[in-house]
Amino acid sequence: MTDEARKPASDEARGVYAIPLATGGTPGGGDGDSSTTSEFALPEGLTPPRSVTDESETTSEFALPDGLDVPQPPGGDFEGSAFSTPLTYRAPAFTPPAGIPVVRLTKDVPWQDRMRTMLRMPVAERPAPERLHKVAEEGGPAVPRVLDLTLRIGELLLAGGEGAEDVEAAMFAVCRSYALDRCEPNVTFTLLSISYQPSLVEDPVTASRTVRRRGTDYTRLAAVYRLVDDLSDVDTATSLEEAYRRLAEIRRNRHPYPGWGLTVSAGLLAGAASVLVGGDLVVFVAAALGAMLGDRLAWLCAGRGLPEFYQFTVAAMPPAAIGVALTITHVDVKASAVITGGLFALLPGRALVAGVQDGLTGFYITASARLLEVMYFFVGIVVGVLLILYFGVKLGAELNPDAALGSTQRPLWQISASMLLSLTFAVMLQQERSTVLIVTLNGGVAWSVYGAMHDTGEFSPVASTAVAAGLVGLFGQLLSRYRFASALPYTTAAIGPLLPGSATYFGLLSIAQNDMDAGLVYLSKAAALAMAIAIGVNLGSEISRLFLRGPSGSAGGRRAAKRTRGF
């Protein structure tokens, strides 16, 4: 076969085709045009290699199959952005392999449970929000303003000590109340962020806010919860402007108790705590005076702009100094009870419970930051007490760690003291007056359970503390669900009588007396009691959620992370 006869077949086999350059001329003609039609055409006389196989060679992995026409946009313009809607996009009806779960979000279920249920679901499986009368605009809600309102509400909740999971649920509830269902809130210790994407092919809108100041005011926290509850209620007409107005009023509200009332409450709290560990009337008065003096010094340091670490250090010194002074002057009182009572008013039980709760619910970054904050506060207390105890030992003060361990059992006095401690703790937390009586009774129940298990049943103090804290968490969660409010006002003050004040003091005293082994044992016991309190409160809350009615359906409440089994 000649080269001329072989060439067309070889060109077709390689996918090279001649393209006419212009009408009126032929390749190889005498009109002066070049006979080369393509830069990739084979020169004449060159024989291409034959294909080993009979299969046709593929020219490109992205080549369009024969017979498929590429759709062209109207007007001949091509797509100019990676975020623009594709021309061939058609939203297909997609059904997951397991089916779309049916979630029944009844109105009589607390909004916290409903929002947690949807937050644990994938975005594509969340039920669409109903068209609410809050959205008055024809084109939908003002997305930036809704996100700003959501962040401001989340800031107040996080600054007030609420757990990260509950803050995310509240933020999602606010967005969903204004028909922004494709939202993803994210909460860390100091940063709040939320992202809203109208659809899969539209640009997302993201906003963030930094939490710089923290303050304990459970009255404000309850007001924010009522606002979120009204926004989540489809039968309550709360416009965006009305929500902003109510939020501004919540920020401007004054604390329900004056400053001198908080100082007196700190003193009564310390006195009640000293009675719990065996103190009498003189010890009660001494512990109260030391705690009030420490509170005033801490307020002075706060006014000067000193960090909280130094405020805790200064506040821990007066109770320890009064206890050492009573020992040096040979007054027949239990100085250890005085110092222990002063420590009760300083132990950061609220931050500890919130940190452990965040860790148990999967918010490990926020939990680590909160527990680190607790550690700094605790170190500040340790430094303040150790300085006074060190100088007391040098001055000849005979402080015996076993002095308060043999205290007689006085059930009626101790139950009354525990209720007074919870009452004063609630005042220091700026709780609403309507919740003070309830949390006082809850604190009395907690100490009664602890005393029955530890003193009568001879259970270990850690197990007794965990069970008592679990009942506190259970009752607090029941009350919060009944009132559609936060559980913190019903649990935080009630765990006050269970705080490990005596173990902390004995550990510090042993370290001051150069008995490091005994000091570490006492401090380890204090840490175990603190963890038992935090885990017990969280476990009681989870038990109430397990057995009480919640959102039904195959989506199943809260989706928790599965165990990794070591990998």
Side-chain angles (χ1 to χ4, degrees):
M1 184 180 296
T2 61
D3 294 339
E4 290 76 2
R6 188 183 298 117
K7 180 178 179 181
S10 301
D11 289 344
E12 292 177 358
R14 292 183 56 81
V16 178
Y17 299 92
I19 302 175
L21 297 178
T23 57
T26 59
D31 55 357
D33 294 335
S34 174
S35 62
T36 303
T37 61
S38 172
E39 295 181 0
F40 300 98
L42 295 175
E44 296 181 359
L46 179 61
T47 303
R50 298 181 60 87
S51 177
V52 179
T53 61
D54 295 336
E55 298 178 0
S56 60
E57 297 182 3
T58 304
T59 58
S60 173
E61 295 180 359
F62 302 98
L64 293 174
D66 294 338
L68 179 63
D69 297 331
V70 180
Q72 297 295 332
D77 296 333
F78 292 93
E79 300 176 20
S81 173
F83 298 98
S84 59
T85 306
L87 300 175
T88 57
Y89 176 77
R90 297 291 185 273
F94 173 73
T95 302
I100 298 178
V102 178
V103 182
R104 298 177 179 89
L105 303 176
T106 57
K107 296 180 181 180
D108 55 347
V109 176
W111 61 265
Q112 296 97 319
D113 292 345
R114 289 184 280 131
M115 296 305 111
R116 289 192 192 98
T117 300
M118 285 184 286
L119 275 176
R120 296 302 179 267
M121 296 173 60
V123 178
E125 298 179 8
R126 293 174 184 170
E130 300 177 359
R131 189 67 180 176
L132 305 179
H133 51 265
K134 301 183 183 68
V135 184
E137 299 85 353
E138 288 294 334
V143 175
R145 297 199 67 197
V146 173
L147 298 184
D148 178 72
L149 175 67
T150 302
L151 291 174
R152 291 178 183 274
I153 291 177
E155 178 188 10
L156 288 179
L157 293 177
L158 187 62
E162 192 63 81
E165 184 183 34
D166 296 322
V167 175
E168 281 195 358
M171 294 173 64
F172 186 76
V174 175
C175 287
R176 189 173 176 83
S177 65
Y178 291 101
L180 303 185
D181 58 324
R182 303 181 66 89
C183 287
E184 289 295 338
N186 186 24
V187 176
T188 58
F189 185 61
T190 57
L191 182 65
L192 298 167
S193 63
I194 188 166
S195 178
Y196 169 68
Q197 190 173 13
S199 65
L200 294 176
V201 295
E202 295 186 55
D203 299 344
V205 180
T206 303
S208 62
R209 193 173 184 87
T210 302
V211 179
R212 303 190 183 275
R213 297 188 61 185
R214 300 179 183 275
T216 303
D217 189 345
Y218 282 180
T219 300
R220 178 180 297 175
L221 190 70
V224 176
Y225 260 77
R226 284 193 293 269
L227 174 59
V228 178
D229 186 31
D230 292 341
L231 291 176
S232 304
D233 188 4
V234 296
D235 299 329
T236 303
T238 306
S239 63
L240 195 61
E241 298 298 332
E242 176 67 15
Y244 265 107
R245 186 190 63 79
R246 290 181 58 180
L247 188 62
E249 290 180 355
I250 293 173
R251 286 180 174 274
R252 289 194 300 264
N253 280 347
R254 298 177 61 86
H255 298 308
Y257 307 103
W260 63 266
L262 300 180
T263 302
V264 173
S265 297
L268 294 177
L269 189 153
S274 66
V275 174
L276 287 179
V277 293
D280 52 12
L281 181 59
V282 177
V283 172
F284 181 94
V285 175
L289 291 177
M292 288 190 290
L293 181 58
D295 183 76
R296 285 294 91 190
L297 290 177
W299 276 101
L300 181 62
C301 294
R304 298 292 181 180
L306 290 178
E308 287 184 298
F309 176 85
Y310 301 105
Q311 298 176 28
F312 275 82
T313 302
V314 171
M317 289 182 177
I322 292 179
V324 170
L326 292 176
T327 303
I328 294 176
T329 56
H330 302 288
V331 179
D332 188 15
V333 295
K334 293 181 178 180
S336 57
V338 176
I339 302 176
T340 300
L343 292 179
F344 264 85
L346 300 176
L347 294 177
R350 172 185 57 86
L352 175 66
V353 172
V356 174
Q357 179 182 357
D358 288 341
L360 294 177
T361 52
F363 295 85
Y364 301 114
I365 297 178
T366 308
S368 301
R370 279 180 164 165
L371 293 178
L372 184 62
E373 181 187 38
V374 171
M375 187 191 72
Y376 271 103
F377 293 163
F378 188 77
V379 171
I381 298 172
V382 168
V383 171
V385 175
L386 276 182
L387 286 175
I388 301 300
L389 293 180
Y390 177 78
F391 286 108
V393 171
K394 291 298 181 181
L395 293 175
E398 297 179 358
L399 299 171
N400 185 10
D402 298 329
L405 292 178
S407 60
T408 59
Q409 298 180 9
R410 301 173 297 176
L412 296 180
W413 279 97
Q414 289 178 332
I415 292 176
S416 301
S418 65
M419 295 176 67
L420 177 60
L421 194 152
S422 299
L423 171 65
T424 53
F425 201 176
V427 174
M428 293 181 64
L429 293 174
Q430 302 282 0
Q431 291 190 198
E432 292 181 308
R433 291 180 174 87
S434 60
T435 63
V436 171
L437 179 59
I438 297 175
V439 76
T440 301
L441 297 176
N442 201 6
V445 171
W447 182 261
S448 300
V449 173
Y450 172 80
M453 293 187 63
H454 180 258
D455 298 334
T456 305
E458 296 183 354
F459 286 88
S460 67
V462 176
S464 303
T465 302
V467 173
L471 288 178
V472 168
L474 178 61
F475 292 157
Q477 190 63 226
L478 292 175
L479 291 171
S480 67
R481 293 173 67 94
Y482 175 72
R483 297 196 174 190
F484 286 70
S486 173
L488 288 181
Y490 303 101
T491 57
T492 305
I495 65 173
L498 305 176
L499 293 176
S502 58
T504 303
Y505 163 69
F506 294 148
L508 299 180
L509 178 58
S510 299
I511 293 175
Q513 294 176 343
N514 294 325
D515 191 356
M516 296 298 297
D517 294 337
L520 292 178
V521 169
Y522 278 118
L523 292 180
S524 300
K525 179 181 178 181
L529 291 173
M531 292 297 295
I533 293 173
I535 295 176
V537 171
N538 181 264
L539 182 60
S541 301
E542 296 298 330
I543 290 175
S544 66
R545 290 172 182 166
L546 285 176
F547 293 99
L548 294 179
R549 183 178 59 177
S552 59
S554 58
R558 299 167 61 182
R559 290 187 176 183
K562 294 183 178 179
R563 298 292 163 256
T564 57
R565 292 184 176 88
F567 54 86

